[in-house]
Amino acid sequence: MNAITSYFKDIFHAIKTLLTGMRVTGYYFSHARKEIITQQYPENRDTLKMFDRFRGIVTLTHDENNEHACTGCSACEIACPNGTIEIISDREEDPETGKKKKIIDKFIYHYSMCTLCNLCIISCPTDAIKMDPSFEYATFDRKDLTMILNKPGSKIRKDVK
Amino acid sequence: MIEEVETKDAIKTQEYFVNMGPQHPSTHGVLRLMLELDGEIIKKVTPHIGYIHRSIEKMSEKDSYRQIVHLTDRMDYLSNHMNNEAVCLLVENALEVEVSDRVKVIRTIMSELTRLSSHQLWWGVMGMDLGALTTFLYAFRDREMINDIFEETCGARLTVNYNVPGGVMFDIHPNFQQRVKDFIKSFKTKLPEYDDLLSNNVIFRQRTEGVGILSKEDAISYGVTGPTGRASGFSNDTRKHKPYSAYDRVEFKEILMDKGDTFSRYKARILEMWESVSIIEQLIDNIPEGDIQEPSVKQVIKLPKGEFYQSVETARGELGVYVVSDGQKSPYRLKFRSPGFSNLFVLDHMVRGYKIADLVAMMSTIDLVIPDIDR
Ligand code: SF4
Ligand code: SF4
């Protein structure tokens, strides 16, 4: 007799626990509109805004006069753990003082080797580079991931020491 | 090795080998288990690791101490903050600098959020391993809020690299406190759902209770730490025994169970989530003011000559960092004692005599992260 009672008890207990779980599912089924958290990507591309600090890609900021703040000091190159940044620098005569000054020729950035660790950004003394929150950088050719960050014809800003 | 065994009914069966992994969903990564089977019964499990070895320890020997931190994100990627913290604490202790209270509290909150997100993911995957896809979706819903908090303050969701030797990389975002409070409020109503969906489910209970028992003595001799060891009654919480950051100023219980079966390991993690919630609640309203970076830590860090060790409690157990320094700007030798490695090798001991389906459940409650084991 005892075995039979416990047999049925087990069955009822099992049904009860299964229904408890189903109740949670049922709640979200009937409150689907309120509790939705998924997004329709890529349909929402226009409204999708990443957080300001999101690390998407390293960029060299240029202002409207096509000027940047990079002195070519190579601090970022040294700080980078992966050899992602290569600074090829040059020397140019300053027209006012006549002294030779270091400038960047090419700021080469290998995106394929970047771990987006932010160490270059915090090591830059002039805040010339920053992280851009853009994304979708997949390409069909690995060559596209090597970029030259200083725009053609760009110069260093006057006030940068 | 293949030998014939006589079963009870005198039907001869042959022992055979099956490879589980390296591409198997329930091994949670590239882990290969060589199973020696008698029918469905497991005679022996031999884990083969090394499929995702990236030589992080060797790479650290050429990196500066600031650069090593970002590599640790890629070990146990679900305990990223704690891994970062381990290296940073080691450097700070070796240089004998003390970070400000603000940094300590921020680090503690971040670590506990990480622990919550790791346990949430574990819970989802645990259900999925046993055939309940539902839990996976619920866990990821809650985990998303934590990822948003990380993304807003640290700039990344997984490889955060937020701790730096001497402090944290940025100050917390102005929205941080509000977001954490919102998360805690909503998660406290969501956590009971976890019990309704899985913990009390009769199928789940029958597959986990009394299965895969690990005794306290074995847990100690195999060096099983974290919730896996605590479920066997082995008190090993680094946060309690060697408090670091702000753990000495918060009140929390070390979750100890006595049975050591698969269900205890499950329960230990669920209860640990409640403890993490309470730790965050105690700290979030009173983050003290202070520097976010200790100015005395230079850009180029040179540790004094000697040997240093620092351990932290990650979501999986005790992570130890051991550094031999010869006074240069990179370590002479660096060794990580990863919790996953010790926890994995107790599997053979636990699983003998059980069925393959039980192996999946046990492996789930050990909560393996393979990059942590291989490094
Ligand atoms: S980006 Fe900054 S750190 Fe890098 S070379 Fe230019 S000025 Fe120096
Ligand atoms: S984000 Fe890190 S890996 Fe990328 S360029 Fe900067 S320092 Fe190098």
Side-chain angles (χ1 to χ4, degrees), chain A residues 60 69-77 85 87 104 107 120 123-129:
Chain A
L60 185 66
C70 176
T71 57
C73 69
S74 291
C76 51
E77 194 177 348
I85 297 176
I87 310 272
I104 52 166
F107 189 115
C120 53
S123 72
C124 179
T126 56
D127 289 334
I129 41 178

Side-chain angles (χ1 to χ4, degrees), chain A residues 18-91:
Chain A
L18 292 180
L19 285 179
T20 322
M22 293 290 275
R23 199 182 59 218
V24 179
T25 318
Y27 171 79
Y28 287 103
F29 187 70
S30 55
H31 293 71
R33 219 155 265 290
K34 204 178 103 208
E35 302 274 355
I36 276 180
I37 57 146
T38 45
Q39 300 177 2
Q40 290 296 323
Y41 179 80
E43 285 81 0
N44 69 344
R45 263 206 195 110
D46 302 334
T47 51
L48 182 65
K49 198 177 166 303
M50 302 306 282
F51 292 112
D52 294 339
R53 288 184 190 174
F54 176 72
R55 310 209 279 261
I57 190 168
V58 175
T59 51
L60 185 66
T61 23
H62 289 73
D63 60 11
E64 62 276 12
N65 304 328
N66 203 13
E67 287 177 334
H68 55 72
C70 176
T71 57
C73 69
S74 291
C76 51
E77 194 177 348
I78 295 164
C80 178
N82 308 310
T84 310
I85 297 176
E86 268 178 75
I87 310 272
I88 299 180
S89 53
D90 204 352
R91 283 186 185 274

